[in-house]
Structure formats: structure tokens, C-alpha cells
Amino acid sequence: MSDLLAIGEPLVELNQAHDDAPFVQGFGGDTSNAMIAAARLGSDAAYFTAIGADRFGQALTELWLKEGVDASRVVINGGAHTGLYFVTHGPEGHQFSYMRAGSAASRIGESDLPVDRIKATQVLHLSGITQAISSSAADAAFAAIDIARDAKRLVSYDPNLRVKLWPLRRARAVIHEAMRSCDIALPGLDDAKELAGLTDPDAIADFYLSLGARLVVVKLGKAGALVANAGRRERIAPFAVSAIDATGAGDCFDGAFLAEFVRTADPFAAARFANVAAALSTLGYGAVAPLPRRADVEAAIARA
């Protein structure tokens, strides 16, 4: 049985540090980033998606192999392309531009799901982006959630709202419905403002607990995190670093939290660990390259 299995869309990243710099190839895709983060931290992580029969898809396959993420059930679609995105940086932070319409991952349907693998994982992880890329992907995600719940597995969900991918009203309806069937909710503060109309972390936690989640971790960026379940809640203090690029910080938090939660069964300790890991992931450019190893996180915690 694997620790974690995520479903979503991987992307090849082209990241430009400043206006005059060349674009540097990297990799992205929120759920893929999360599984790579988890694998670097010692988790037995697996990933399911579809990629094109192109050099970008091959590069992603090589990446997962190198990082120790089990991608043995990934579908290769010769009639579609692998998704691509660009990252630029300015005074207001990082900006994203996507070339993903019609991608192989967006064509995933319920019949493509690796049912046996879903039943044999401790935690199934999905996100709003998993469901935003197409109606068939949204339906497949709901089907995967049902399979996991029927098998008594945990379901983790990060809303990760992208308003460029779908209308806000549809995003709210789909994400809230998914949250009703998840065990672990991983909302970010900005997403919760749009989806729930809330800005107070405690109110956000209460909202997702009321939807049905058993555990809520509200990611607060530079302000740390809030962890809540029915009987306890704890504010996680920020871990100060001189951040360079926060492109994959939220994804790193997800992967680190799930990896440590499966290892320890302590959501509060897992959130403290993930908070440090996410901070360390901002010390380099790109979504994947700066993801820390367990030794890095443990050393940072020891120095704190």
C-alpha cells in the first residue's frame, strides 16, 4: 500500500527571474509538485495523470522516476499535448501564463482511473485545479473520491482556486461539493476569501469543518498556518526566511504535511513540519528545484 496518491495535471514550467533573463525550464502542476515534495521527504508517493507523447511528457516521466514518485499508471495520450506554463516576476510577485487547453490531462475520464491503486493508498490527494481543467476531469475526481471513501481511505483536497480556468460560481459549487467528501481540507487564505467570502482563519476553519472535513489546515503564507479539528486548533507561527520565489510553496506545504501526517498521525506536528518545508521551498526559483529534503527541514527546525 502506498502512502499517498495524487491525481491532477503536471506541467512543464518556463521561469524567467527578471525581464532580461532567459526562461529556465522546470516543472510544475500543483499535485505533481506535492508528490515530489512528499517523496523528497521520505514518503511513498504515487501520481496519476495523462501526458502527451511528446518530449515534455517524456521529461516529466524522467522527473518522476528521478524523484522516486511512482508514475507507473500514468496514461500516455498520443493525440494530445502535455501542458506548459510560464512564470514571470515583478513588484507584485510571480505571474503565471498557461498553455494547457486540450492537454492530455484535461481529457482524463472516469474509465481511466487506476481503481486498484486508489483503493491501495492511505491518502488520495486532489485539488481544485484537478477539477478545473475539464468537465471529464472534474467527474473523474469525484469518482476517485467515491472509490477512496468506499475503501475507507483518507481524501485530501486543496481548493487551489484558479479563476482563469473556470468561472468563480462553478468553482465554488464544485470545490464545496468535493470538500463535503474530504477528510483533510488544505485551503489557502486567498482562495478562502474568494470561495467562502471569509478572511478570518478561524472562520475559514469553521466553514470547512462544517462542510464535512475532519481536519482543516488553513495556509496563511508568510503568517504561518492554522490547524483545526473538532476538538482542537492551533496557530502555527511563521518560519522566517529571505524568500526569493514562492511559486511552489503551497504545493510543498501540502506534500510535506501529508507525508508527515501519514508518518506520525499528528496533524499539528505535521503542520509545523510542513510550515518549515514550505518556507525553505521559497529560497530558490521554480516549483520543483527548491523543494527541500528531510535533512534540510530537520536541520532548519533544529536551528530555530
Side-chain angles (χ1 to χ4, degrees):
M1 178 181 294
S2 64
D3 294 338
L4 309 173
L5 169 66
I7 298 175
E9 180 177 38
L11 299 163
V12 168
E13 170 191 278
L14 294 173
N15 199 314
Q16 185 183 43
H18 54 82
D19 288 344
D20 298 325
F23 282 92
V24 177
Q25 182 181 312
F27 301 95
D30 61 340
T31 48
S32 176
N33 297 341
M35 291 304 96
I36 293 171
R40 287 192 180 184
L41 297 167
S43 183
D44 178 13
Y47 195 59
F48 175 74
T49 187
I51 54 177
D54 50 40
R55 65 180 227 163
F56 293 135
Q58 181 179 355
L60 282 162
T61 300
E62 292 170 353
L63 170 72
W64 294 319
L65 180 63
K66 174 186 174 184
E67 296 290 347
V69 175
D70 179 1
S72 60
R73 301 295 289 275
V74 166
V75 173
I76 299 175
N77 185 338
H81 66 276
T82 303
L84 181 70
Y85 76 106
F86 300 84
V87 185
T88 55
H89 301 265
E92 297 181 356
H94 51 274
Q95 301 293 323
F96 298 91
S97 300
Y98 293 92
M99 296 179 63
R100 72 198 313 176
S103 70
S106 73
R107 303 187 188 196
I108 289 174
E110 294 182 43
S111 62
D112 297 311
L113 292 173
V115 174
D116 57 329
R117 295 303 301 275
I118 295 170
K119 291 179 177 180
T121 190
Q122 293 191 59
V123 182
L124 172 69
H125 178 61
L126 309 104
S127 78
I129 294 177
T130 305
Q131 297 194 283
I133 54 177
S134 70
S135 295
S136 66
D139 291 343
F142 280 126
I145 290 171
D146 289 343
I147 293 165
R149 289 180 64 83
D150 287 346
K152 310 299 183 185
R153 306 306 178 198
L154 297 178
V155 177
S156 165
Y157 196 99
D158 183 339
N160 216 355
L161 178 66
R162 294 290 185 270
V163 293
K164 291 183 179 180
L165 290 177
W166 52 353
L168 182 57
R169 180 174 291 182
R170 174 171 168 76
R172 282 186 182 133
V174 172
I175 290 172
H176 288 353
E177 182 61 28
M179 283 292 196
R180 290 186 177 94
S181 298
C182 80
D183 300 284
I184 302 168
L186 296 165
L189 181 61
D190 292 340
D191 292 345
K193 289 178 183 178
E194 295 289 333
L195 292 168
L198 300 170
T199 58
D200 177 70
D202 283 294
I204 293 167
D206 290 338
F207 175 81
Y208 286 109
L209 287 170
S210 71
L211 280 183
R214 290 158 47 187
L215 174 66
V216 180
V217 184
V218 185
K219 295 175 288 183
L220 304 175
K222 294 179 181 179
L226 173 71
V227 188
N229 58 26
R232 176 184 168 190
R233 64 184 58 197
E234 179 180 326
R235 187 70 176 260
I236 308 299
F239 184 81
V241 296
S242 298
I244 296 173
D245 177 14
T247 299
D251 307 333
C252 179
F253 188 104
D254 289 355
F257 175 82
L258 295 173
E260 196 67 1
F261 180 66
V262 168
R263 192 177 77 90
T264 66
D266 183 340
F268 302 95
R272 289 190 289 271
F273 181 89
N275 194 50
V276 175
L280 296 180
S281 76
T282 70
L283 298 179
Y285 286 106
V288 171
L291 294 173
R293 308 281 177 180
R294 175 167 290 275
D296 302 323
V297 180
E298 291 177 346
I301 292 172
R303 291 194 300 268

